[in-house]
Amino acid sequence: MKKMLFVVALFFAITTLDAQIVYTNLESNPEMIDSEYELNIDGQSSAEFVIQNYSAYGEAVYFASFENGAAVVSTAADYNANVDMLSENAEIGASSTFYGCQGGSPYFNVLYLPGEYVVWASGTVAYVGLKFVRQSTGTTHYGWAKVKLGTNASYVYLYGYAYNSTPNAPIRAGQTNDSGLNELVQNSFSFYPNPAKDILNIEGQNIRSVSIYNTLGQEETKFSYSENQIDISNLRKGIYILNILSNEGMIREKFIKE
């Protein structure tokens, strides 16, 4: 039985407001996008972004903003705006230049357009800077997504994404924990097997609840964590996101239901 172990470092502000980076890790099994992928970055009612790969039809690849207030760090161009290739540790925040959805009209930020108008070169791995308005609170948050553009944009890989749960607080590209005047609280969690058929084993400390979401951000089931096994036999086959809420914060990981 293969056991997946992941270590998540969570940092908490020493003020009364707990800062937290919410990180979804897809590195071990990235999403391969050959048509469309809805990115619901905070798992609420609808997706803020849609990655649209129309290269098979000789068209563009977009990192589109679909929810009001959602936007991507981009540079103005003759054709919409080009998605900026951000390197690791680049700051994403109020001083960044964003183009996105306003007044409910989706905005189509360009990753790639065949011919003369190539934005990202084939094989590029970089970070996309994001901004969105959280639907339950109306607050603005900043985040990132790590993507790779395949040869001639024949595919787009999504390796993970994160956002800062503190409203209006910046985030660094690739950042998976908080930094600054914070106290480091590091916890190790494991879940196995992956893929899983009927039972998912979860090990860790101070776990309060476990939720499972589908790739559209819809909650499938929730458990009050009392034992280290959860029954997933009723789930349909496919890819799911495992949310683990502990006393120290929340982490998210992808798993496959066989």
Side-chain angles (χ1 to χ4, degrees):
M1 181 180 293
K2 184 178 180 180
K3 183 173 180 178
M4 291 186 63
L5 178 66
F6 58 93
V7 179
V8 179
L10 300 175
F11 294 74
F12 293 87
I14 57 178
T15 63
T16 56
L17 179 63
D18 290 339
Q20 183 184 343
I21 303 299
V22 181
Y23 171 46
T24 300
N25 183 2
L26 307 178
E27 290 280 350
S28 61
N29 190 19
E31 292 286 350
M32 183 176 178
I33 303 163
D34 57 7
S35 56
E36 291 192 352
Y37 179 85
E38 294 187 354
L39 176 53
N40 190 333
I41 192 169
D42 64 348
Q44 294 203 349
S45 59
S46 57
E48 298 87 3
F49 304 94
V50 180
I51 302 173
Q52 301 173 313
N53 184 1
Y54 300 149
S55 60
Y57 308 102
E59 300 294 334
V61 178
Y62 301 104
F63 204 113
S65 308
F66 264 67
E67 282 294 319
N68 198 37
V72 175
V73 176
S74 304
T75 300
D78 294 336
Y79 186 90
N80 294 0
N82 296 340
V83 177
D84 288 355
M85 295 180 291
L86 301 182
S87 58
E88 190 170 0
N89 294 319
E91 184 172 294
I92 303 159
S95 61
S96 303
T97 300
F98 290 95
Y99 289 88
C101 179
Q102 295 183 1
S105 298
Y107 192 91
F108 298 91
N109 308 77
V110 179
L111 275 171
Y112 176 91
L113 189 65
E116 299 178 357
Y117 203 81
V118 174
V119 182
W120 288 32
S122 296
T124 296
V125 180
Y127 293 90
V128 177
L130 308 174
K131 177 176 73 172
F132 69 97
V133 175
R134 198 165 198 189
Q135 296 161 31
S136 62
T137 61
T139 52
T140 297
H141 298 265
Y142 298 101
W144 57 261
K146 182 181 178 182
V147 300
K148 177 181 179 179
L149 192 66
T151 303
N152 296 324
S154 56
Y155 60 85
V156 179
Y157 276 142
L158 176 65
Y159 287 95
Y161 49 92
Y163 71 95
N164 194 329
S165 66
T166 302
N168 302 309
I171 190 173
R172 289 177 284 107
Q175 183 181 1
T176 59
N177 52 61
D178 296 318
S179 60
L181 298 176
N182 302 312
E183 177 185 1
L184 172 62
V185 182
Q186 180 171 313
N187 285 276
S188 297
F189 297 89
S190 65
F191 72 95
Y192 60 93
N194 189 16
K197 185 175 182 181
D198 296 317
I199 298 295
L200 196 63
N201 300 280
I202 301 175
E203 298 178 356
Q205 296 180 345
N206 302 320
I207 297 175
R208 293 161 54 186
S209 67
V210 176
S211 302
I212 294 176
Y213 288 78
N214 60 32
T215 54
L216 297 178
Q218 301 163 332
E219 186 177 274
E220 293 279 350
T221 186
K222 185 174 183 178
F223 304 87
S224 294
Y225 187 80
S226 57
E227 299 182 8
N228 63 353
Q229 291 186 334
I230 58 175
D231 185 354
I232 60 170
S233 58
N234 291 330
L235 293 178
R236 297 180 296 274
K237 293 181 180 180
I239 298 172
Y240 294 89
I241 301 297
L242 181 70
N243 282 25
I244 301 175
L245 178 65
S246 75
N247 291 341
E248 287 75 28
M250 185 181 73
I251 55 177
R252 299 196 288 182
E253 283 283 334
K254 186 171 71 171
F255 77 95
I256 298 173
K257 167 65 166 64
E258 291 184 324

